[in-house]
Amino acid sequence: FEYQIDCPPELMDYDIPTMILQPFVENALGHGFSEISAGGLLKLSIREVQEDEIEIVLSDNGKGYKAGNKLKTNKHKNRSMALNLIEQRLKLLSAEGQGIFSFRIQDRQELDGETGTQVIFNINRSNSQ
């Protein structure tokens, strides 16, 4: 697989909670690219949406979020433990006044007709202490 990182120099020192992106990168590599033998592309883009708010977009050209979920057995149909843990952690960070954190997962087929998954994180520090 190949990867691309697009981050303006002024955002290189922006504080992102530890290990928040890791499960999504791991899913792209382990699951999204599991059925392709070559040509996998993982993109990470970071941009400032407004003052004190950034958007992080992690996208891949793997099989896609919905396609991957269709293949799960009944044992794994529940929402991923990693997703639940990340959601809980982001709620705790928000409650502690470290900012407002959110994320959403989209199937690229619905967005742009391409295969793959896109995860979008928003981090807003304007309300942090």
Side-chain angles (χ1 to χ4, degrees), residues 10-108:
E10 63 272 13
L11 296 179
M12 292 297 280
D13 292 328
Y14 202 92
D15 188 24
I16 299 171
T18 307
M19 301 299 284
I20 292 296
L21 299 175
Q22 181 273 336
F24 298 103
V25 172
E26 184 177 319
N27 279 343
L29 300 179
H31 302 291
F33 296 155
S34 65
E35 296 176 9
I36 59 175
S37 59
L41 179 60
L42 184 65
K43 293 182 187 179
L44 176 68
S45 301
I46 302 173
R47 70 182 184 103
E48 189 169 35
V49 178
Q50 59 188 8
E51 187 177 342
D52 292 329
E53 183 177 356
I54 65 167
E55 179 180 79
I56 302 168
V57 179
L58 182 66
S59 64
D60 67 62
N61 65 344
K63 65 183 162 191
Y65 185 66
K66 286 188 178 178
N69 281 337
K70 286 179 187 175
L71 298 175
K72 288 183 178 181
T73 64
N74 286 335
K75 179 178 158 185
H76 293 93
K77 283 204 179 198
N78 293 336
R79 195 158 189 227
S80 156
M81 181 185 291
L83 287 180
N84 288 331
L85 291 173
I86 289 169
E87 203 168 61
Q88 289 174 18
R89 184 158 174 238
L90 294 178
K91 284 180 184 177
L92 284 172
L93 290 170
S94 295
E96 291 173 356
Q98 295 186 35
I100 300 170
F101 304 88
S102 64
F103 76 95
R104 63 189 182 280
I105 302 171
Q106 299 175 307
D107 199 292
R108 287 190 54 207

